[in-house]
């Protein structure tokens, strides 16, 4: 009798584990990858909060969610702004900007480039100017900054002009803000950093 109960339990567990694997699907419709950015955004607007839609768009554009890609950031973002209204649109915009601001430099550069809203010639300079806010908000040490700059240089790849413009912007904000709220060790280490 004990063998019978044991066999029955093993069978139930085996069936449950098989069923569990089926339930581990992404939760997106089967055709989700083929329906286009606007339709994917519509689906997410129906299923998620506006702030989640913002994260979905950004992380999808960065390729972080292979089950839910965003092929054209501008189309997805513009569609969300066309559909969302009132508080929902405001919540979306606040989260979108917040997530972009919190991205590592390389991902931030990619999002700005994908959005097509920045002048490619001025993008590096803008990133350099904005980087001081990231240092302040994140209470970053000189070692943190140096590691991020090395990663950013790698992310720039062959686009050495992007990196040079970034450094010009970063040097500018260091010099302008020196003596206010720029930590002295950061200023000394990076004011002439190449």
């Amino acid at each position: 009798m004990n063998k019978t109960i044991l066999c029955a339990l093993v069978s139930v567990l085996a069936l449950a584990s098989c069923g569990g694997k089926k339930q581990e699907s992404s939760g997106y419709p089967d055709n989700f990858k083929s329906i286009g950015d606007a339709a994917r955004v519509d689906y997410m607007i129906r299923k998620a909060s506006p702030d989640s839609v913002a994260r979905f768009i950004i992380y999808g554009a960065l390729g972080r969610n292979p089950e839910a890609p965003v092929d054209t950031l501008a189309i997805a973002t513009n569609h969300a702004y066309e559909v969302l209204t009132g508080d929902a649109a405001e919540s979306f915009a606040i989260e979108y900007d917040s997530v972009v601001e919190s991205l590592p430099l390389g991902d931030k550069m990619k999002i700005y480039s994908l959005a097509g809203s920045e002048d490619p010639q001025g993008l590096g300079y803008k990133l350099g100017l904005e980087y001081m806010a990231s240092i302040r908000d994140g209470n970053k040490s000189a070692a943190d900054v140096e590691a991020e700059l090395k990663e950013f240089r790698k992310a720039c790849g062959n686009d050495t002009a992007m990196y040079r413009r970034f450094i010009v912007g970063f040097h500018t904000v260091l010099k302008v803000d020196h003596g206010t709220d720029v930590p002295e060790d950061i200023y000394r280490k990076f004011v002439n950093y190449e």
Side-chain angles (χ1 to χ4, degrees):
M1 182 112 171
N2 286 341
K3 281 187 176 183
T4 307
I5 293 173
L6 183 60
C7 287
L9 284 173
V10 168
S11 297
V12 168
L13 288 174
L15 287 173
S17 68
C18 289
K21 287 181 183 174
K22 287 181 184 175
Q23 292 175 353
E24 289 177 9
S25 69
S26 65
Y28 300 115
D30 291 339
N31 66 342
F32 200 65
K33 286 184 180 180
S34 65
I35 61 175
D37 289 328
R40 286 191 286 266
V41 169
D42 283 336
Y43 175 85
M44 291 305 296
I45 287 172
R46 288 191 308 274
K47 299 290 184 181
S49 62
D51 57 324
S52 292
V53 174
R55 290 188 299 274
F56 164 82
I57 291 171
I58 293 167
Y59 296 139
L62 289 171
R64 292 188 185 172
N65 187 356
E67 296 297 315
V70 170
D71 301 318
T72 308
L73 180 64
I75 290 172
T77 305
N78 288 338
H79 188 73
Y81 278 118
E82 289 171 2
V83 173
L84 296 169
T85 58
D87 291 342
E90 184 177 346
S91 176
F92 173 84
I94 290 169
E95 183 67 7
Y96 190 96
D97 291 343
S98 175
V99 170
V100 170
E101 286 303 312
S102 70
L103 291 172
L105 283 169
D107 287 344
K108 194 174 186 179
M109 174 184 65
K110 183 175 180 181
I111 287 295
Y112 281 154
S113 296
L114 290 172
S117 58
E118 298 296 327
D119 169 26
Q121 299 297 315
L123 178 56
Y125 186 70
K126 175 182 174 158
L127 287 168
L129 291 173
E130 291 178 350
Y131 187 54
M132 184 51 68
S134 174
I135 293 170
R136 287 184 194 113
D137 294 346
N139 293 317
K140 295 177 181 175
S141 68
D144 295 333
V145 172
E146 186 168 33
E148 287 184 342
L149 293 182
K150 287 178 181 177
E151 284 300 312
F152 181 64
R153 187 175 213 153
K154 285 181 200 171
C156 288
N158 293 332
D159 192 354
T160 57
M162 174 72 74
Y163 183 77
R164 276 194 321 273
R165 289 184 192 108
F166 170 85
I167 290 296
V168 168
F170 187 41
H171 286 167
T172 301
V173 77
L174 282 169
K175 290 173 185 171
V176 169
D177 287 359
H178 184 235
T180 57
D181 58 352
V182 175
E184 191 61 29
D185 63 327
I186 301 248
Y187 174 79
R188 276 182 299 182
K189 181 159 186 142
F190 298 105
V191 71
N192 294 312
Y193 189 83
E194 295 298 325

